[in-house]
Amino acid sequence: MKRILLLTSIFLTACGLSPEEKKKQVDDLYSSVKSLPVSQPCENLSGYQRLQTLEKKNKTQYYSEISNQKIERYSLLCRQKKDADKKAIVDREKAEKQAILNRKKAERKVIEKQRISEAKGSLNILGYQSDVQTTKYDCAPFFFNKDK
């Protein structure tokens, strides 16, 4: 009994998958990769690479031409997306640093205003009146008319 089970398992593994099963396996993977949105180029690239690997393993060429074209296309798009993501991260970090600097400037201005108002308060104690307006004097009325 044990020999029969052993021989059956060896026979089944030696034969491998039937061509129909291989085709179904490749078709299933292709349909799952094809359903990925174009906005995910790295996931598409990975899926088509897996499809290409599966076809090489199964020694089939159902989607090999499509896989090669898509791998070329999505490798470029994936690289561009990664570059754009890196740039976005750098830009976000710069914006965060600038926001911190702006916040510090605003805090310094508030502190400076408080110090100036405290200093003005001290001047009022000494008799300085900040609200007294000085006027400019016009010297024209002081000229003497020599004819009169």
Side-chain angles (χ1 to χ4, degrees), residues 48-61:
Y48 282 108
Q49 287 172 338
R50 284 186 315 214
L51 179 62
Q52 190 177 48
T53 304
L54 180 64
E55 286 208 284
K56 285 180 182 176
K57 177 184 156 198
N58 289 344
K59 297 178 183 169
T60 59
Q61 293 186 346

Side-chain angles (χ1 to χ4, degrees), residues 20-85:
E20 293 83 21
E21 291 171 333
K22 288 179 183 180
K23 171 83 169 127
K24 183 177 177 353
Q25 191 179 26
V26 171
D27 284 342
D28 290 344
L29 182 57
Y30 177 71
S31 63
S32 69
V33 172
K34 191 176 177 183
S35 67
L36 291 172
V38 179
S39 61
Q40 298 176 337
C42 296
E43 289 81 0
N44 275 294
L45 175 64
S46 174
Y48 282 108
Q49 287 172 338
R50 284 186 315 214
L51 179 62
Q52 190 177 48
T53 304
L54 180 64
E55 286 208 284
K56 285 180 182 176
K57 177 184 156 198
N58 289 344
K59 297 178 183 169
T60 59
Q61 293 186 346
Y62 300 117
Y63 301 105
S64 61
E65 188 176 327
I66 294 172
S67 295
N68 290 333
Q69 292 172 354
K70 297 289 186 171
I71 287 171
E72 286 179 27
R73 178 179 179 211
Y74 285 118
S75 62
L76 175 66
L77 293 174
C78 181
R79 198 173 320 117
Q80 289 174 348
K81 184 178 186 308
K82 285 181 180 179
D83 291 343
D85 290 347

